[in-house]
Amino acid sequence: MANITILAGGFGSGKSEIALNFALEKVKRQTEHSKVILADLDLVNPFFASREAKKQLEDKGVRLLGPRADLAFGDVPQLPPEIIGIIGQDNDMIIDLAGDEVGSLVLGYLSSFIKIRNQLDFFMVINPYRPFACDLESVVYLKNMLEAASKTHITGIISNPNLVEETDAQIILEGHTRVLKYADAMGIPVKYLTVEEKFYEQFLFQYGNQLKLINLYLRPGWLKVL
Amino acid sequence: MKGNEALAEGAIIAGCRGFFGYPITPSSEIAEYMARKLPGLGGVFFQAESELAAINMVYGGSSTGKRVMTASSGPGISLKQEGISFIAEAELPCLIVNVSRGGPGLGGIQPSQADYFQATRGGGHGDYRLIVLAPSGAQEMMDYTIEAFDLADRYRTPVMIMAEGTLGNIMEPIIVRKPEEKSYDKSWAITGCKGRKPNIINTLHLSSEVLEERNRHLAAKYKLIEQNEKRAETFLTEDADIIVVAFGLMARIVKKSVMEARKKGIKAGLIRPITLWPFPDEHFKKAAETVRLILSVEINMGQMIEDIRLSVNGKVPVEFYGRIGFTPNPEEITKQLLLLAEREGF
């Protein structure tokens, strides 16, 4: 118990979808007295934030911690006041930060309180098909900015190579190869490769524990119609 | 790419090297993208002290004949109206982007299409029009932006891209197409007058004759744009009893409802205006000959419906469904279609 998993990364790298999946996976393994908490600390941009899946989370027993309801769709940065107390309690916590270094600033403030936790995983999510993750220089720049803003060292990388509906196995493999190169150059381990359900089986043999299945909870169904 | 990023990259592809703006949700990613990219391309990114300053920088920048733009959201676009009126009268090509949010007043940052009147009726003072393009996905955010700069140069007029918050933030794969190089006569531009007569850009006309002549000139230009540039997408309209009209993101959602309604035996179709001005009235005149009912679906309290009614000129009843603060979902619109079909008996 008292683990904390924090997701940071570039704007639109997939942090919120991954945070939702992590929370819903953790809650499945929940024992009677454990608690899974997802803190949506996206104080920058409320579009497609993990708090949109509030109902799905709460139905499954995940406690969502985020801006209060009347400010959930605001551009007024609002940090849930109870967050520091909850960080100090015994629970399983996932923090979903906003994109880029501005999104990780809030962790800079929380970093001294987080030290109390037994285990801290601070992941940088990378989708190498995003505009500012296409080359090593940009990724290293972002990594340094994230660490400076959050006052926390990144402990692992989550490789999230996708072009949403146009993703195929080749796109995943080529993208993941690039993420491995970035990770190698930065000396940070790749902890997970995230794929949608339809690709899970075919990559499982090769990637084993590293592979994480991701369901998209925030993507509107009508998107496929154009 | 996110819609806002695709739009910004489209502007760069089109050769835009000047961005002047003041950030506002949900348009800020456009400014952020330009701030990161333009300096390295020899361009200028300037975060002005206010929207008023920003639009007047666009006025100045476009006077030099360079491709420049600004982006904002409802309240910011309201502040820019005076400058837009000046730019329209000075016949300066530029791009103005409205990634709109809920109004009136400060409203909220929820997706909204409530700036339709502001975009299509001028917004600022005087007898002028903006060409208004309404993309419906991230790819079109890029493609229409590239096209908007061409339209602006071709007609020497400001062009507006009208998007809304969700469209700005939607993540979709993009195919980057390099546009063909076009050249435009920019002998009017202020580029330093050594060896030639100075060019003067001015919008003050104290003589009645000159004022009227200027207005007639602009009106003739707008007429030409109306003749050449009206555009709409039609979907399953040929045999339709009921046609839903929606623009931008909303059109995409409606498409799904139209397909659902068809499965339930209702002959539904969609007309999606791509140019909000000039409004594609011919599509509606044609539809009015066969269709039994038109339903306008908007993320506002009923604005485009006025243009639809003007277009069909009383030949077909036009009804409305809209929300604000929420984006109607496909099921909601399908339900409306079922209710209307039952009421009308088709």
Side-chain angles (χ1 to χ4, degrees):
Chain A
M1 277 316 279
N3 294 332
I4 191 161
T5 304
I6 304 169
L7 298 167
F11 174 61
S13 54
K15 297 171 297 298
S16 295
E17 295 281 17
I18 293 171
L20 287 168
N21 279 272
F22 277 18
L24 291 165
E25 189 191 302
K26 273 182 195 289
V27 85
K28 278 188 209 158
R29 297 198 301 260
Q30 192 178 26
T31 58
E32 203 179 327
H33 302 291
S34 65
K35 290 188 198 80
V36 178
I37 291 170
L38 171 59
D40 176 358
L41 301 190
D42 189 332
L43 311 182
V44 179
N45 181 331
F47 285 85
F48 303 107
S50 46
R51 51 189 173 264
E52 275 181 37
K54 186 178 192 330
K55 193 173 179 311
Q56 282 136 300
L57 290 169
E58 289 177 349
D59 285 351
K60 292 277 178 353
V62 176
R63 178 172 172 198
L64 175 72
L65 195 60
R68 53 177 229 238
D70 57 342
L71 293 176
F73 211 89
D75 52 355
V76 185
Q78 198 243 323
L79 195 59
E82 62 274 44
I83 181 116
I84 291 163
I86 291 174
I87 287 173
Q89 292 164 5
D90 189 21
N91 52 44
D92 220 341
M93 193 167 192
I94 295 157
I95 295 184
D96 177 20
L97 296 169
D100 296 342
E101 64 276 15
V102 290
S104 284
L105 267 178
V106 64
L107 185 59
Y109 163 65
L110 295 174
S111 57
S112 60
F113 303 100
I114 281 166
K115 286 181 188 139
I116 196 168
R117 291 271 167 163
N118 299 337
Q119 196 193 331
L120 162 75
D121 288 314
F122 183 32
F123 294 133
M124 177 178 179
V125 180
I126 303 177
N127 176 356
Y129 294 106
R130 292 280 297 140
F132 297 104
C134 291
D135 58 81
L136 177 64
E137 194 190 340
S138 309
V139 173
V140 171
Y141 174 81
L142 178 62
K143 177 240 171 201
N144 291 336
M145 294 294 276
L146 291 176
E147 289 190 330
S150 63
K151 299 181 193 165
T152 310
H153 284 293
I154 289 163
T155 61
I157 283 167
I158 298 179
S159 174
N160 183 32
N162 76 86
L163 286 171
V164 280
E165 286 81 13
E166 288 184 22
T167 309
D168 60 26
Q170 189 69 13
I171 281 167
I172 294 173
L173 277 177
E174 283 179 14
H176 186 55
T177 307
R178 272 161 58 197
V179 175
L180 288 172
K181 281 185 191 153
Y182 300 157
D184 198 40
M186 295 189 291
I188 303 173
V190 172
K191 291 300 286 261
Y192 300 115
L193 164 64
T194 50
V195 296
E196 278 191 83
E197 191 168 12
K198 59 188 168 191
F199 302 108
Y200 186 73
E201 289 293 326
Q202 70 187 102
F203 285 104
L204 189 60
F205 184 76
Q206 193 178 350
Y207 292 101
N209 278 344
Q210 214 177 50
L211 195 68
K212 284 274 181 200
L213 189 157
I214 294 293
N215 291 306
L216 301 183
Y217 293 98
L218 303 174
R219 200 142 178 87
W222 46 259
L223 263 180
K224 285 161 202 150
V225 191
L226 185 66
Chain B
M1 281 187 148
K2 297 253 184 185
N4 281 339
E5 296 167 337
L7 186 148
E9 184 60 33
I12 289 170
I13 291 168
C16 172
R17 291 294 179 271
F19 182 99
F20 309 95
Y22 187 87
I24 177 169
T25 310
S27 76
S28 301
E29 294 82 18
I30 300 173
E32 284 168 20
Y33 195 93
M34 293 307 241
R36 289 175 81 159
K37 289 261 181 156
L38 280 183
L41 296 167
V44 175
F45 170 86
F46 200 96
Q47 180 172 325
E49 70 271 30
S50 71
E51 282 84 354
L52 272 71
I55 193 67
N56 285 296
M57 289 172 188
V58 171
Y59 187 6
S62 56
S63 298
T64 68
K66 296 278 190 280
R67 286 186 160 179
V68 299
M69 70 176 290
T70 188
S72 189
S73 185
I77 298 288
S78 295
L79 286 164
K80 287 179 170 142
Q81 292 302 334
E82 182 195 47
I84 295 172
S85 166
F86 276 60
I87 292 168
E89 159 51 13
E91 295 191 89
L92 297 173
C94 65
L95 175 66
I96 300 149
V97 178
N98 183 0
V99 185
S100 63
R101 52 190 258 169
L106 269 178
I109 58 175
Q110 292 84 355
S112 150
Q113 297 182 322
D115 298 345
Y116 180 94
F117 283 154
Q118 186 195 51
T120 60
R121 301 309 196 256
H125 59 282
D127 233 332
Y128 77 94
R129 293 286 196 177
L130 299 176
I131 298 176
V132 185
L133 301 174
S136 72
Q139 182 73 54
E140 288 179 355
M141 290 285 263
M142 175 178 280
D143 296 345
Y144 290 8
T145 297
I146 296 170
E147 206 180 337
F149 279 104
D150 278 323
L151 287 168
D153 277 339
R154 189 179 316 147
Y155 295 103
R156 281 190 62 186
T157 195
V159 176
M160 176 175 274
I161 298 264
M162 170 102 164
E164 47 75 70
T166 306
L167 205 47
N169 282 279
I170 209 96
M171 177 88 83
E172 291 185 286
I174 296 292
I175 296 166
V176 177
R177 302 182 189 93
K178 293 276 172 211
E180 51 178 305
E181 292 272 335
K182 293 177 192 138
S183 65
Y184 297 94
D185 171 28
K186 295 202 174 177
S187 55
W188 48 266
I190 298 171
T191 54
C193 63
K194 205 173 178 184
R196 65 164 168 81
K197 221 174 117 220
N199 286 335
I200 295 168
I201 290 172
N202 170 39
T203 64
L204 178 65
H205 312 298
L206 294 176
S207 135
S208 307
E209 287 75 17
V210 174
L211 181 66
E212 185 169 52
E213 194 278 319
R214 283 299 304 161
N215 273 277
R216 285 193 192 284
H217 167 75
L218 288 177
K221 177 167 83 176
Y222 298 140
K223 190 137 191 106
L224 186 67
I225 295 171
E226 282 191 89
Q227 277 166 19
N228 296 343
E229 304 301 342
K230 285 174 192 167
R231 218 182 312 160
E233 177 195 348
T234 56
F235 178 69
L236 304 178
T237 48
E238 290 293 313
D239 64 339
D241 285 325
I242 178 163
I243 280 182
V244 190
V245 189
F247 70 94
L249 174 94
M250 199 59 239
R252 218 160 145 179
I253 300 171
V254 163
K255 223 173 200 179
K256 182 149 189 179
S257 310
V258 164
M259 283 161 70
E260 285 301 312
R262 288 248 163 193
K263 278 186 207 156
K264 294 183 175 13
I266 297 161
K267 287 184 182 163
L270 163 73
I271 298 180
R272 169 198 160 209
I274 293 171
T275 50
L276 303 185
W277 192 88
F279 193 72
D281 55 349
E282 272 92 4
H283 286 83
F284 293 92
K285 282 178 190 146
K286 185 169 170 249
E289 287 165 17
T290 54
V291 74
R292 294 158 74 175
L293 186 69
I294 291 177
L295 175 68
S296 184
V297 178
E298 307 172 46
I299 315 173
N300 59 42
M301 290 292 113
Q303 300 193 11
M304 178 175 63
I305 188 172
E306 293 192 1
D307 282 330
I308 302 169
R309 283 188 171 142
L310 281 169
S311 302
V312 301
N313 201 14
K315 280 194 177 150
V316 178
V318 186
E319 302 210 9
F320 179 75
Y321 184 77
R323 298 188 70 179
I324 195 154
F326 301 89
T327 305
N329 60 44
E331 296 74 34
E332 210 173 326
I333 302 155
T334 310
K335 199 173 141 197
Q336 283 301 310
L337 288 172
L338 293 175
L339 284 171
L340 288 171
E342 195 187 324
R343 192 193 75 194
E344 300 292 320
F346 54 80

